Amino acid sequence: MTSTEFKTRFLPLHKELYSMAVRILGDSCEAEDAVQNLYLKLWEKRSMLDCVNNDAGYCRQLLKNICIDRWREMQRHQQQRLDEERADICEETYSEEDINDKKKFLRAFLARQHERQRHIFLLRLRGSTYDEMEQLIGQSATSLRQIVARLKRDFINSYKQKTGNK
């Protein structure tokens, strides 16, 4: 495919593709980058584009996949920033001694729990989703949520009693 053929087939779709990318990503700069990325991929695959029957549909699908990947990456970066901010706040707020006391209290609390409840609570603390836990344990996600909520409530109440905070 020559550059002239490429321009006549794919450049007229730019406006539609750009507006689609803005709708998905919610950011005009990210949308521009996504559309540029699309055209780069199309140009690299130009020798295989002769067999494409629906140029607009092919471009929309390719752009949708690019936008989803960019959106996921944006979410990942945003989550990393939030995690870093939380870590900074935790480091500033609590001394190492306070953190060690809380860890010790958590271990003692978990030691008093039934083995199954302890297992469920530890899975949740380590970041397992309720769906993953459901597959591992064989209980419904709803009952797992109730168990975790009950354990959290008991833990908080026990900690408040220990420290004298109401």
Side-chain angles (χ1 to χ4, degrees):
M1 173 183 296
T2 66
S3 62
T4 308
E5 290 176 70
F6 183 85
K7 288 177 186 174
T8 56
R9 279 180 68 182
F10 296 104
L11 285 185
L13 303 171
H14 182 272
K15 191 173 184 177
E16 174 191 350
L17 296 170
Y18 173 75
S19 62
M20 178 182 159
V22 169
R23 278 193 312 271
I24 294 172
L25 296 170
D27 181 6
S28 60
C29 292
E30 286 291 330
E32 287 174 18
D33 289 346
V35 173
Q36 273 186 335
N37 196 351
L38 167 75
Y39 279 115
L40 182 63
K41 285 186 180 199
L42 287 171
W43 181 252
E44 290 170 352
K45 294 181 178 185
R46 68 185 177 275
S47 61
M48 297 180 279
L49 293 176
D50 290 333
C51 61
V52 173
N53 295 329
N54 182 355
D55 293 340
Y58 182 75
C59 288
R60 281 192 298 267
Q61 185 62 47
L62 196 58
L63 180 63
K64 184 175 109 179
N65 293 340
I66 291 169
C67 288
I68 289 171
D69 290 342
R70 290 182 84 82
W71 183 83
R72 286 180 180 151
E73 189 63 29
M74 289 166 39
Q75 294 298 312
R76 197 173 10 258
H77 285 302
Q78 184 179 10
Q79 186 61 45
Q80 286 174 346
R81 279 197 311 270
L82 287 173
D83 291 343
E84 289 169 3
E85 289 174 12
R86 285 185 189 131
D88 290 344
I89 290 170
C90 287
E91 288 175 13
E92 294 171 7
T93 308
Y94 300 108
S95 69
E96 198 168 315
E97 187 178 315
D98 287 340
I99 292 171
N100 288 335
D101 286 345
K102 289 176 183 176
K103 285 180 181 178
K104 191 183 297 182
F105 184 79
L106 177 60
R107 283 189 202 103
F109 174 79
L110 289 174
R112 292 190 307 263
Q113 302 305 315
H114 186 271
E115 184 179 339
R116 187 173 184 87
Q117 290 175 321
R118 180 175 39 245
H119 182 63
I120 291 168
F121 197 67
L122 286 172
L123 282 172
R124 188 63 185 150
L125 280 176
R126 292 180 181 136
S128 295
T129 65
Y130 288 107
D131 292 333
E132 293 168 343
M133 291 167 55
E134 182 178 24
Q135 291 174 355
L136 281 170
I137 296 172
Q139 263 183 288
S140 72
T142 305
S143 67
L144 292 170
R145 279 188 194 90
Q146 290 174 343
I147 291 169
V148 170
R150 193 175 311 119
L151 287 168
K152 282 182 184 178
R153 186 183 60 235
D154 292 347
F155 175 77
I156 290 168
N157 290 337
S158 297
Y159 190 76
K160 284 181 179 178
Q161 286 177 352
K162 175 201 173 241
T163 59
N165 295 338
K166 297 286 175 173

